[in-house]
Amino acid sequence: MSLNCSLWQDNSVSIKRFAFARFSEAAEQCFLLFALVLLMFLASLMGNALIALAIRTNPALHTPMYFFLANLSFLEIGYTSSVVPQILQNLVIKAPAISREGCATQMFFFTFFAISECCLLAAMAFDRYMAICSPLHYATRMSRGVCARLSMVSWGIGCTVGLGQTNYIFSLDFCGPCEIDHFFCDLPLILALACGDISRNEAAVFVVAVFCISSPFLLIIASYGRILASVLTMPSPEGRHKALSTCSSHLLVVTLFYGSGSVTYLRPKASHSPGVDKLLALFYTVVTSMLNPIIYSLRNKEVKAALRRTLGNRRVLTLG
């Protein structure tokens, strides 16, 4: 398929619009994937919104752990909403394309929410560490103000990295080809379209990615290392089980999020292929966000009870 790439001339030639490669020329395949992604997207939005609403409307859940969980739900809603509408559009339009400005905006919000979630997951691990390893000081050290500051720092780091990375990428000139063989404006693929030798640019972006992914992850590992050491010294089997059960949901979410992110962005460039990258993109943008509410609601009795109360109240208001 020939692509019409609009160009402008200002000392150098740069692409003004990017075209997305179609997932498949078979309309049936695109429709099936569209329906599947749409259902998962709606389930993700509904699940995360319900958890945030349940935590907001149930005073029993106004604790640091659930404060961070509500923040995680808001981040997941923003994270999926920044790219999934573009994925859905690309599956139904014959010649999907996006402007340079639209691509930059999408990249910023995707990076912003993703990095914020990395940092927030580390804050959640630190909260569990304080609750289990320092229970006598937990209420004072994890006060509402401390939790709010940790959350603001997470969002602030995400915003700073998102602005920095997006400005760095789109300060470059793009010579073509103008086609992105992906569902959305993912950073490595856009950088590959830049003019000239981009090896230094790729190295700089890779270093930032490694730092932003590995630093929170190391904090999570350190927190859970201390938690495990503390749990092993507990004399009561019931105490050990309760301590581990409060961490299991978070550990599973961390594994899904960091596992998919690391496989996508930290594996060698030579091992990348468009087909695999697209499948991984669907997993870390749609599937993980849909699974997180399920993980927390199925493995947490308090969240399940709060969801039942919230849904019950909504039915009463509807009937009334």
Side-chain angles (χ1 to χ4, degrees), residues 135-156:
L136 297 178
H137 302 97
Y138 178 67
T140 55
R141 293 183 179 176
M142 294 302 294
S143 63
R144 181 176 298 181
V146 171
C147 294
R149 284 192 289 273
L150 286 173
S151 178
M152 289 173 61
V153 167
S154 299
W155 289 70

PDB file of all heavy atoms in Angstrom, residues 135-156:
ATOM      1  N   PRO A 135       4.813  -2.195  62.521  1.00  0.00           N
ATOM      2  CA  PRO A 135       3.379  -1.937  62.774  1.00  0.00           C
ATOM      3  C   PRO A 135       3.125  -0.886  63.849  1.00  0.00           C
ATOM      4  O   PRO A 135       2.118  -0.177  63.781  1.00  0.00           O
ATOM      5  CB  PRO A 135       2.855  -3.320  63.203  1.00  0.00           C
ATOM      6  CG  PRO A 135       4.060  -4.054  63.694  1.00  0.00           C
ATOM      7  CD  PRO A 135       5.204  -3.563  62.868  1.00  0.00           C
ATOM      8  N   LEU A 136       4.021  -0.765  64.842  1.00  0.00           N
ATOM      9  CA  LEU A 136       3.795   0.192  65.925  1.00  0.00           C
ATOM     10  C   LEU A 136       3.927   1.633  65.459  1.00  0.00           C
ATOM     11  O   LEU A 136       3.328   2.542  66.056  1.00  0.00           O
ATOM     12  CB  LEU A 136       4.769  -0.077  67.072  1.00  0.00           C
ATOM     13  CG  LEU A 136       4.637  -1.451  67.763  1.00  0.00           C
ATOM     14  CD1 LEU A 136       5.683  -1.604  68.846  1.00  0.00           C
ATOM     15  CD2 LEU A 136       3.231  -1.629  68.338  1.00  0.00           C
ATOM     16  N   HIS A 137       4.724   1.868  64.421  1.00  0.00           N
ATOM     17  CA  HIS A 137       4.934   3.222  63.908  1.00  0.00           C
ATOM     18  C   HIS A 137       4.177   3.468  62.599  1.00  0.00           C
ATOM     19  O   HIS A 137       4.316   4.537  61.998  1.00  0.00           O
ATOM     20  CB  HIS A 137       6.422   3.475  63.678  1.00  0.00           C
ATOM     21  CG  HIS A 137       7.263   3.294  64.901  1.00  0.00           C
ATOM     22  ND1 HIS A 137       7.932   2.133  65.171  1.00  0.00           N
ATOM     23  CD2 HIS A 137       7.517   4.132  65.942  1.00  0.00           C
ATOM     24  CE1 HIS A 137       8.588   2.252  66.322  1.00  0.00           C
ATOM     25  NE2 HIS A 137       8.344   3.455  66.805  1.00  0.00           N
ATOM     26  N   TYR A 138       3.393   2.490  62.180  1.00  0.00           N
ATOM     27  CA  TYR A 138       2.750   2.563  60.863  1.00  0.00           C
ATOM     28  C   TYR A 138       1.816   3.767  60.751  1.00  0.00           C
ATOM     29  O   TYR A 138       1.852   4.507  59.757  1.00  0.00           O
ATOM     30  CB  TYR A 138       1.988   1.266  60.592  1.00  0.00           C
ATOM     31  CG  TYR A 138       1.252   1.244  59.275  1.00  0.00           C
ATOM     32  CD1 TYR A 138       1.951   1.238  58.065  1.00  0.00           C
ATOM     33  CD2 TYR A 138      -0.142   1.225  59.229  1.00  0.00           C
ATOM     34  CE1 TYR A 138       1.283   1.214  56.857  1.00  0.00           C
ATOM     35  CE2 TYR A 138      -0.819   1.200  58.027  1.00  0.00           C
ATOM     36  CZ  TYR A 138      -0.104   1.191  56.840  1.00  0.00           C
ATOM     37  OH  TYR A 138      -0.768   1.164  55.645  1.00  0.00           O
ATOM     38  N   ALA A 139       0.981   3.979  61.757  1.00  0.00           N
ATOM     39  CA  ALA A 139      -0.024   5.044  61.687  1.00  0.00           C
ATOM     40  C   ALA A 139       0.605   6.426  61.570  1.00  0.00           C
ATOM     41  O   ALA A 139       0.077   7.302  60.875  1.00  0.00           O
ATOM     42  CB  ALA A 139      -0.929   4.977  62.914  1.00  0.00           C
ATOM     43  N   THR A 140       1.748   6.633  62.235  1.00  0.00           N
ATOM     44  CA  THR A 140       2.387   7.954  62.193  1.00  0.00           C
ATOM     45  C   THR A 140       3.265   8.118  60.953  1.00  0.00           C
ATOM     46  O   THR A 140       3.290   9.198  60.347  1.00  0.00           O
ATOM     47  CB  THR A 140       3.235   8.171  63.456  1.00  0.00           C
ATOM     48  OG1 THR A 140       4.178   7.085  63.594  1.00  0.00           O
ATOM     49  CG2 THR A 140       2.351   8.232  64.689  1.00  0.00           C
ATOM     50  N   ARG A 141       3.968   7.059  60.576  1.00  0.00           N
ATOM     51  CA  ARG A 141       4.881   7.165  59.432  1.00  0.00           C
ATOM     52  C   ARG A 141       4.157   7.100  58.084  1.00  0.00           C
ATOM     53  O   ARG A 141       4.697   7.563  57.076  1.00  0.00           O
ATOM     54  CB  ARG A 141       5.948   6.083  59.522  1.00  0.00           C
ATOM     55  CG  ARG A 141       6.897   6.283  60.694  1.00  0.00           C
ATOM     56  CD  ARG A 141       7.982   5.238  60.722  1.00  0.00           C
ATOM     57  NE  ARG A 141       8.892   5.450  61.841  1.00  0.00           N
ATOM     58  CZ  ARG A 141       9.903   4.633  62.152  1.00  0.00           C
ATOM     59  NH1 ARG A 141      10.143   3.563  61.406  1.00  0.00           N
ATOM     60  NH2 ARG A 141      10.670   4.905  63.186  1.00  0.00           N
ATOM     61  N   MET A 142       2.989   6.492  58.072  1.00  0.00           N
ATOM     62  CA  MET A 142       2.199   6.447  56.834  1.00  0.00           C
ATOM     63  C   MET A 142       0.904   7.232  57.037  1.00  0.00           C
ATOM     64  O   MET A 142      -0.202   6.737  56.813  1.00  0.00           O
ATOM     65  CB  MET A 142       1.904   4.994  56.445  1.00  0.00           C
ATOM     66  CG  MET A 142       3.128   4.190  56.068  1.00  0.00           C
ATOM     67  SD  MET A 142       4.068   4.893  54.675  1.00  0.00           S
ATOM     68  CE  MET A 142       2.889   4.709  53.345  1.00  0.00           C
ATOM     69  N   SER A 143       1.036   8.459  57.483  1.00  0.00           N
ATOM     70  CA  SER A 143      -0.122   9.322  57.698  1.00  0.00           C
ATOM     71  C   SER A 143      -0.728   9.727  56.353  1.00  0.00           C
ATOM     72  O   SER A 143      -0.162   9.475  55.279  1.00  0.00           O
ATOM     73  CB  SER A 143       0.295  10.574  58.469  1.00  0.00           C
ATOM     74  OG  SER A 143       1.215  11.333  57.696  1.00  0.00           O
ATOM     75  N   ARG A 144      -1.868  10.375  56.431  1.00  0.00           N
ATOM     76  CA  ARG A 144      -2.540  10.811  55.197  1.00  0.00           C
ATOM     77  C   ARG A 144      -1.648  11.761  54.397  1.00  0.00           C
ATOM     78  O   ARG A 144      -1.593  11.690  53.163  1.00  0.00           O
ATOM     79  CB  ARG A 144      -3.861  11.489  55.552  1.00  0.00           C
ATOM     80  CG  ARG A 144      -4.659  11.951  54.340  1.00  0.00           C
ATOM     81  CD  ARG A 144      -6.008  12.522  54.744  1.00  0.00           C
ATOM     82  NE  ARG A 144      -6.835  11.522  55.400  1.00  0.00           N
ATOM     83  CZ  ARG A 144      -8.067  11.765  55.826  1.00  0.00           C
ATOM     84  NH1 ARG A 144      -8.585  12.978  55.680  1.00  0.00           N
ATOM     85  NH2 ARG A 144      -8.771  10.810  56.409  1.00  0.00           N
ATOM     86  N   GLY A 145      -0.936  12.645  55.094  1.00  0.00           N
ATOM     87  CA  GLY A 145      -0.058  13.577  54.402  1.00  0.00           C
ATOM     88  C   GLY A 145       1.096  12.876  53.699  1.00  0.00           C
ATOM     89  O   GLY A 145       1.456  13.229  52.574  1.00  0.00           O
ATOM     90  N   VAL A 146       1.686  11.875  54.372  1.00  0.00           N
ATOM     91  CA  VAL A 146       2.791  11.128  53.762  1.00  0.00           C
ATOM     92  C   VAL A 146       2.300  10.385  52.519  1.00  0.00           C
ATOM     93  O   VAL A 146       2.966  10.389  51.472  1.00  0.00           O
ATOM     94  CB  VAL A 146       3.395  10.141  54.781  1.00  0.00           C
ATOM     95  CG1 VAL A 146       4.386   9.197  54.097  1.00  0.00           C
ATOM     96  CG2 VAL A 146       4.090  10.899  55.911  1.00  0.00           C
ATOM     97  N   CYS A 147       1.143   9.744  52.618  1.00  0.00           N
ATOM     98  CA  CYS A 147       0.591   9.016  51.473  1.00  0.00           C
ATOM     99  C   CYS A 147       0.310   9.957  50.307  1.00  0.00           C
ATOM    100  O   CYS A 147       0.598   9.625  49.149  1.00  0.00           O
ATOM    101  CB  CYS A 147      -0.686   8.286  51.883  1.00  0.00           C
ATOM    102  SG  CYS A 147      -0.438   6.959  53.082  1.00  0.00           S
ATOM    103  N   ALA A 148      -0.244  11.129  50.624  1.00  0.00           N
ATOM    104  CA  ALA A 148      -0.531  12.096  49.566  1.00  0.00           C
ATOM    105  C   ALA A 148       0.755  12.557  48.883  1.00  0.00           C
ATOM    106  O   ALA A 148       0.806  12.696  47.655  1.00  0.00           O
ATOM    107  CB  ALA A 148      -1.282  13.290  50.147  1.00  0.00           C
ATOM    108  N   ARG A 149       1.813  12.777  49.671  1.00  0.00           N
ATOM    109  CA  ARG A 149       3.088  13.222  49.084  1.00  0.00           C
ATOM    110  C   ARG A 149       3.708  12.123  48.227  1.00  0.00           C
ATOM    111  O   ARG A 149       4.251  12.410  47.149  1.00  0.00           O
ATOM    112  CB  ARG A 149       4.046  13.657  50.184  1.00  0.00           C
ATOM    113  CG  ARG A 149       3.711  15.026  50.782  1.00  0.00           C
ATOM    114  CD  ARG A 149       4.831  15.554  51.647  1.00  0.00           C
ATOM    115  NE  ARG A 149       4.958  14.805  52.895  1.00  0.00           N
ATOM    116  CZ  ARG A 149       4.291  15.075  54.001  1.00  0.00           C
ATOM    117  NH1 ARG A 149       3.407  16.072  54.011  1.00  0.00           N
ATOM    118  NH2 ARG A 149       4.480  14.372  55.097  1.00  0.00           N
ATOM    119  N   LEU A 150       3.646  10.877  48.692  1.00  0.00           N
ATOM    120  CA  LEU A 150       4.176   9.768  47.892  1.00  0.00           C
ATOM    121  C   LEU A 150       3.423   9.655  46.572  1.00  0.00           C
ATOM    122  O   LEU A 150       4.029   9.417  45.512  1.00  0.00           O
ATOM    123  CB  LEU A 150       4.077   8.454  48.665  1.00  0.00           C
ATOM    124  CG  LEU A 150       5.069   8.249  49.805  1.00  0.00           C
ATOM    125  CD1 LEU A 150       4.739   6.983  50.593  1.00  0.00           C
ATOM    126  CD2 LEU A 150       6.503   8.164  49.270  1.00  0.00           C
ATOM    127  N   SER A 151       2.110   9.819  46.633  1.00  0.00           N
ATOM    128  CA  SER A 151       1.309   9.769  45.411  1.00  0.00           C
ATOM    129  C   SER A 151       1.657  10.925  44.481  1.00  0.00           C
ATOM    130  O   SER A 151       1.820  10.745  43.265  1.00  0.00           O
ATOM    131  CB  SER A 151      -0.178   9.809  45.771  1.00  0.00           C
ATOM    132  OG  SER A 151      -0.974   9.806  44.603  1.00  0.00           O
ATOM    133  N   MET A 152       1.794  12.132  45.032  1.00  0.00           N
ATOM    134  CA  MET A 152       2.131  13.299  44.217  1.00  0.00           C
ATOM    135  C   MET A 152       3.512  13.159  43.589  1.00  0.00           C
ATOM    136  O   MET A 152       3.719  13.549  42.434  1.00  0.00           O
ATOM    137  CB  MET A 152       2.063  14.568  45.076  1.00  0.00           C
ATOM    138  CG  MET A 152       0.653  14.975  45.477  1.00  0.00           C
ATOM    139  SD  MET A 152       0.633  16.352  46.650  1.00  0.00           S
ATOM    140  CE  MET A 152       1.427  17.640  45.695  1.00  0.00           C
ATOM    141  N   VAL A 153       4.456  12.586  44.330  1.00  0.00           N
ATOM    142  CA  VAL A 153       5.797  12.362  43.777  1.00  0.00           C
ATOM    143  C   VAL A 153       5.725  11.381  42.611  1.00  0.00           C
ATOM    144  O   VAL A 153       6.376  11.576  41.572  1.00  0.00           O
ATOM    145  CB  VAL A 153       6.753  11.853  44.873  1.00  0.00           C
ATOM    146  CG1 VAL A 153       8.045  11.317  44.258  1.00  0.00           C
ATOM    147  CG2 VAL A 153       7.072  12.964  45.855  1.00  0.00           C
ATOM    148  N   SER A 154       4.925  10.322  42.750  1.00  0.00           N
ATOM    149  CA  SER A 154       4.779   9.338  41.674  1.00  0.00           C
ATOM    150  C   SER A 154       4.217   9.990  40.419  1.00  0.00           C
ATOM    151  O   SER A 154       4.761   9.815  39.313  1.00  0.00           O
ATOM    152  CB  SER A 154       3.853   8.196  42.121  1.00  0.00           C
ATOM    153  OG  SER A 154       4.376   7.523  43.239  1.00  0.00           O
ATOM    154  N   TRP A 155       3.149  10.754  40.586  1.00  0.00           N
ATOM    155  CA  TRP A 155       2.556  11.442  39.435  1.00  0.00           C
ATOM    156  C   TRP A 155       3.510  12.495  38.877  1.00  0.00           C
ATOM    157  O   TRP A 155       3.593  12.684  37.653  1.00  0.00           O
ATOM    158  CB  TRP A 155       1.226  12.092  39.843  1.00  0.00           C
ATOM    159  CG  TRP A 155       0.119  11.130  40.096  1.00  0.00           C
ATOM    160  CD1 TRP A 155      -0.001  10.257  41.145  1.00  0.00           C
ATOM    161  CD2 TRP A 155      -1.067  10.922  39.311  1.00  0.00           C
ATOM    162  NE1 TRP A 155      -1.161   9.539  41.061  1.00  0.00           N
ATOM    163  CE2 TRP A 155      -1.847   9.927  39.957  1.00  0.00           C
ATOM    164  CE3 TRP A 155      -1.555  11.505  38.149  1.00  0.00           C
ATOM    165  CZ2 TRP A 155      -3.070   9.492  39.450  1.00  0.00           C
ATOM    166  CZ3 TRP A 155      -2.784  11.072  37.642  1.00  0.00           C
ATOM    167  CH2 TRP A 155      -3.521  10.084  38.291  1.00  0.00           C
ATOM    168  N   GLY A 156       4.244  13.172  39.762  1.00  0.00           N
ATOM    169  CA  GLY A 156       5.183  14.197  39.321  1.00  0.00           C
ATOM    170  C   GLY A 156       6.337  13.629  38.512  1.00  0.00           C
ATOM    171  O   GLY A 156       6.737  14.206  37.487  1.00  0.00           O
TER     172      GLY A 156
END
